[in-house]
Amino acid sequence: MSFSISLTINGEKRAIALDDPRVTLLDLLRERLHLTGAKKGCDRGQCGACTVLVDGRRINSCLTLAASLDGADITTVEGLANGDDLHPVQAAFIAHDGLQCGYCTPGQIMSAVGLIAEGHAGDDPERVRELMSGNICRCGAYKGITEAVLDAQKTLKDGKRRDAA
Amino acid sequence: MNRFEYVRPASVQEAVTAASQPGSVYLAAGTNLLDLMKLGAARPERVIDITRLPGLGEIDWRPDGSVRIGAMVRNSDLAYDERFARTFPVVAEALLSGASAQLRNAATVGGNLMQQTRCAYFQDVASACNRRAPGSGCDAREGENRLHAVLGWSESCIATHPSDFCVPLVALDAVTEVAGPNGMRDVAIDALHALPGETPERETALQPGELITALKLPSDAAAFADHARYLKVRERTSFAFAVVSAAAALRIDGGKIQSARLALGGVAAKPWRARDAEAVLENAPPTQEAFAKAAELALSEARPSGKNAFKIELARRLIVRALSLSTEGTPEAMPALPASPFATVPSANHAR
Ligand SMILES: Cc1cc2nc3c(=O)[nH]c(=O)nc-3n(C[C@H](O)[C@H](O)[C@H](O)COP(=O)(O)OP(=O)(O)OC[C@H]3O[C@@H](n4cnc5c(N)ncnc54)[C@H](O)[C@@H]3O)c2cc1C
Ligand code: SF4
Ligand code: FES
Ligand code: FES
């Protein structure tokens, strides 16, 4: 069974031929579109390394069938920076040492982007930790991650205020 | 994952017709189904994608205060819906204590209700499991069974139902609306999940092809909004299934409990309503003595199915705490760590 779906990936609309409906969004991104930013940690929804945004919402791409997303808008970590200009969340992860080996980092960053857009954490580190609990870090960089999320959220908020003014 | 035919029906009717063929399964977000398919524990021939069906994505309030929630509404959208969270805070708290933010963004109402047990032997195709392969035996009986059932289990199967969402739903008398080959019918949450008996493979009351189209909460469930909590003991602070959980909802007036609702999670193959315990709470003052009596009654028929006797005492204590915190009142804002039995104030630290 082969069919075609359409996805907008990091702003670019693409027609994608699928020869097999079993392909997950994560495998599609990594194996077929060579966007290897999203990582495969567990492939079972348990680690968050595969986190991407679908229509602006963070989800686990390993537990999503690509075929069922026909028409969706996908953002991966490759789509965040503007050339050499890092996204505020990326910059904050560097500034706060929110990583060590880096394997979980693309998932952490996409999850943080999603968390900030959802807007339920406020400036409470407790809420940030709870809402980031779907991203496991084997290196234990959690302290820096929490600081980075809070800092990036502030930067984005201040930026918006400046834009509005 | 086995090969399958992918079907994308355009209407509920088409979906039901397609799914009525043997070997078919509905696909919502896939966060449980795809996991089981990767493990080989689910091997459907036909996958019916219901994510685009029209009319399943709305939250509709009725003039009498009841609500109808489409089966495709995502767990996070329901939990953060302002009116819903205000009216049924115990349901919102349970939803937000489940899984992770990413999974809640994807997971649907229907998929959460219909998710299958997390029993490791059910998921491992090399193990004997009556639920997955009827008649093959149950490797959990003599295996790793600390987290298995203490109520309603049978020699055939000692699995638990893992949903947090279902626990307050059964307490509040929620009902599913189901479309099937013979039309529509209502199935109460209490009747949706089956106890194993001799046929653990019959997990729910749904017949082949039947599709949950909506979940309904009755208007009287809103009367508990001021005194309702969901508490969940986990093996780590967050992003873990319940070892034991409890939903408590009270209506208190004039120093007395006017009515009480109590249900347990993580203890049986279905969300466990504790009706005898509710009955002793009614007309009693909300005291530790009354709560202890209710807890005793709720677990009076419990027995360990393995190395899990601790869950019985844990459930009793959790009931007392859930009733105590419900009496104190539903918190103004959702606690930072939803359903934590340890955080008594909204800003309490992790695992303090
Ligand atoms: C790592 C991890 C941790 C988790 N932790 C928790 C937790 O702490 N608490 C908790 O409650 N849950 C937890 N979950 C489970 C999660 O809540 C479920 O996977 C999710 O709710 C399923 O919804 P879905 O839309 O993805 O369903 P799917 O995976 O698409 O479907 C699940 C099942 O329901 C059937 N189905 C779906 N919709 C319908 C319908 N409308 N009518 C009839 N049948 C239907 C499908 O055929 C399938 O059998 C966790 C999951 C993972 C992967
Ligand atoms: S407890 Fe139930 S689900 Fe687990 S192995 Fe036994 S029969 Fe299977
Ligand atoms: S790879 Fe998707 S959650 Fe681990
Ligand atoms: S930085 Fe190594 S796993 Fe997180």
Side-chain angles (χ1 to χ4, degrees):
Chain A
M1 183 174 160
S2 107
F3 51 100
S4 165
I5 61 168
S6 145
L7 292 176
T8 303
I9 298 177
N10 297 330
E12 191 189 332
K13 193 161 179 183
R14 307 175 68 152
I16 294 158
L18 285 177
D19 52 353
D20 189 326
R22 291 177 293 182
V23 183
T24 61
L25 175 60
L26 179 60
D27 287 343
L28 175 73
L29 292 170
R30 292 182 55 83
E31 309 294 334
R32 299 179 180 224
L33 304 178
H34 309 295
L35 289 166
T36 54
K39 297 288 182 275
K40 187 181 283 193
C42 65
D43 213 21
R44 296 193 61 191
Q46 299 176 354
C47 74
C50 66
T51 304
V52 300
L53 305 185
V54 172
D55 296 327
R57 296 158 65 102
R58 52 178 166 155
I59 55 117
N60 304 98
S61 60
C62 68
L63 287 186
T64 308
L65 215 54
S68 83
L69 293 181
D70 196 359
D73 190 331
I74 316 288
T75 308
T76 70
V77 74
E78 289 91 342
L80 285 188
N82 191 353
D84 283 342
D85 237 2
L86 293 183
H87 184 280
V89 175
Q90 293 174 306
F93 266 70
I94 295 171
H96 292 273
D97 263 342
L99 65 150
Q100 190 176 328
C101 78
Y103 194 83
C104 72
T105 311
Q108 300 277 3
I109 288 176
M110 296 315 292
S111 192
V113 172
L115 177 153
I116 293 167
E118 288 157 16
H120 299 300
D123 55 6
D124 180 356
E126 192 67 34
R127 285 177 200 269
V128 169
R129 279 194 287 270
E130 164 62 11
L131 292 172
M132 289 295 289
S133 73
N135 294 83
I136 309 293
C137 176
R138 184 64 184 80
C139 300
Y142 297 110
K143 188 169 177 289
I145 291 170
T146 306
E147 287 167 10
V149 175
L150 286 164
D151 192 20
Q153 179 171 257
K154 197 167 168 296
T155 308
L156 283 161
K157 220 165 142 194
D158 291 350
K160 268 192 202 121
R161 236 182 262 131
R162 231 177 293 129
D163 290 348
Chain B
M1 211 188 286
N2 63 293
R3 289 190 176 274
F4 57 83
E5 184 192 347
Y6 173 74
V7 183
R8 197 189 282 163
S11 67
V12 167
Q13 201 45 56
E14 261 183 60
V16 168
T17 305
S20 298
Q21 298 177 57
S24 303
V25 67
Y26 288 121
L27 171 76
T31 60
N32 185 221
L33 181 63
L34 289 179
D35 193 5
L36 293 171
M37 286 170 68
K38 288 180 190 186
L39 295 166
R43 302 180 57 84
E45 288 162 35
R46 203 168 300 97
V47 171
I48 320 291
D49 184 348
I50 58 173
T51 54
R52 283 146 208 276
L53 293 182
L56 302 189
E58 269 88 63
I59 304 176
D60 288 322
W61 294 89
R62 300 287 157 88
D64 68 352
S66 64
V67 65
R68 179 184 179 280
I69 304 147
M72 284 305 303
V73 170
R74 308 291 168 155
N75 287 188
S76 54
D77 290 337
L78 184 59
Y80 289 121
D81 181 273
E82 222 171 286
R83 181 163 176 192
F84 182 82
R86 193 168 8 95
T87 315
F88 307 110
V90 63
V91 183
E93 184 164 26
L95 277 170
L96 292 178
S97 77
S100 65
Q102 291 96 313
L103 287 160
R104 294 190 293 269
N105 274 347
T108 63
V109 161
N112 192 318
L113 304 181
M114 293 295 289
Q115 64 174 301
Q116 290 177 284
T117 184
R118 308 303 289 198
C119 172
Y121 304 97
F122 174 81
Q123 298 190 342
D124 171 24
V125 292
S127 298
C129 170
N130 289 323
R131 188 173 283 261
R132 173 172 38 75
S136 62
C138 169
D139 275 350
R141 291 298 280 119
E142 301 297 326
E144 283 300 324
N145 50 25
R146 301 181 56 244
L147 298 177
H148 283 70
V150 293
L151 281 162
W153 54 273
S154 71
E155 289 303 323
S156 307
C157 177
I158 59 173
T160 60
H161 192 260
S163 167
D164 292 300
F165 187 35
C166 287
V167 181
L169 289 182
V170 77
L172 297 178
D173 284 331
V175 172
T176 58
E177 178 190 283
V178 175
N182 304 317
M184 307 288 296
R185 65 178 181 127
D186 280 355
V187 178
I189 292 290
D190 203 13
L192 181 64
H193 305 94
L195 289 178
E198 303 283 293
T199 53
E201 73 279 10
R202 279 190 219 148
E203 301 182 277
T204 73
L206 296 196
Q207 300 297 315
E210 281 194 319
L211 174 77
I212 296 175
T213 49
L215 171 73
K216 298 184 286 193
L217 276 152
S219 55
D220 63 0
F224 299 96
D226 291 342
H227 295 279
R229 287 302 301 271
Y230 181 71
L231 296 186
K232 172 179 179 185
V233 176
R234 289 157 266 200
E235 291 193 317
R236 60 183 182 191
T237 304
S238 178
F239 195 18
F241 285 94
V243 176
V244 175
S245 69
L250 302 173
R251 211 153 53 70
I252 303 176
D253 199 18
K256 267 193 186 169
I257 298 169
Q258 304 298 327
S259 56
R261 300 288 177 84
L262 186 66
L264 296 172
V267 295
K270 60 182 289 186
W272 192 268
R273 179 89 179 257
R275 286 201 166 78
D276 290 351
E278 294 174 3
V280 297
L281 289 168
E282 259 152 57
N283 293 317
T287 58
Q288 293 296 305
E289 293 69 47
F291 299 160
K293 201 165 150 200
E296 208 49 53
L297 269 174
L299 276 304
S300 61
E301 286 176 7
R303 57 198 172 102
S305 61
K307 288 161 257 166
N308 57 2
F310 77 97
K311 286 177 76 166
I312 299 172
E313 180 56 21
L314 188 58
R316 287 193 194 104
R317 295 185 189 190
L318 194 65
I319 288 173
V320 172
R321 179 141 330 164
L323 289 167
S324 307
L325 292 183
S326 301
T327 302
E328 278 178 28
T330 307
E332 282 292 316
M334 183 61 64
L337 193 55
S340 169
F342 308 112
T344 50
V345 289
S347 59
N349 277 335
H350 265 71
R352 190 178 262 167

